[in-house]
Amino acid sequence: MEKLDIKEPDIQEKFIRGSGHGGQKLNKTSSCVYLKHLPTGIEVKCQKERSQSLNRFFARRILVTKIENIILGRNSEEKKRIEKIRRQKRKRSKRSKEKMLKLKKIQAEKKQLRKPVSKP
């Protein structure tokens, strides 16, 4: 936080009730942490653990990572992962699909030639 010049007074912190599984325990305690960095307007909500203090720590870590990515403008691991998935799901062009099918056909023909010759 010191490296990126993030000061505690710039962070607005709230404790809110979490959501999801947990039942009565979850309804009674406010263990979910909400942070807002006032200069940048970045908001973070963290409910990883049951402990409020651990959630405070994780929320600050997430906030610092987000601010770091914005300030330094570098590709984070998360952005790289999302981009990789997007490329994998992208539809193939007609030409590349034909090329891939052609290569598959050639491979199938090679396998056919490897079969033992049957005697009549």
Side-chain angles (χ1 to χ4, degrees), residues 41-99:
I42 296 174
E43 298 175 349
V44 172
K45 197 191 253 186
C46 184
Q47 187 193 338
K48 283 186 182 176
E49 301 292 327
R50 287 175 69 177
S51 163
Q52 192 181 68
S53 57
L54 273 176
N55 284 334
R56 286 182 76 196
F57 171 74
F58 286 129
R60 277 176 172 66
R61 220 159 83 181
I62 294 167
L63 183 72
V64 167
T65 306
K66 284 187 174 188
I67 292 171
E68 185 180 38
N69 288 337
I70 288 172
I71 291 173
L72 300 178
R74 67 175 186 212
N75 289 337
S76 67
E77 292 300 317
E78 184 68 17
K79 280 185 181 178
K80 287 180 184 177
R81 188 183 65 80
I82 290 169
E83 182 63 27
K84 182 180 177 185
I85 291 169
R86 193 181 65 76
R87 280 195 311 270
Q88 287 173 345
K89 289 185 175 182
R90 188 174 54 207
K91 192 176 177 183
R92 292 182 191 266
S93 68
K94 196 172 185 179
R95 189 173 182 185
S96 68
K97 194 173 183 180
E98 286 173 1
K99 185 178 176 183

Side-chain angles (χ1 to χ4, degrees), residues 25-36:
K25 172 71 176 162
L26 195 69
N27 296 334
K28 285 181 179 179
T29 59
S30 298
S31 60
C32 185
V33 178
Y34 168 85
L35 297 178
K36 182 174 183 177

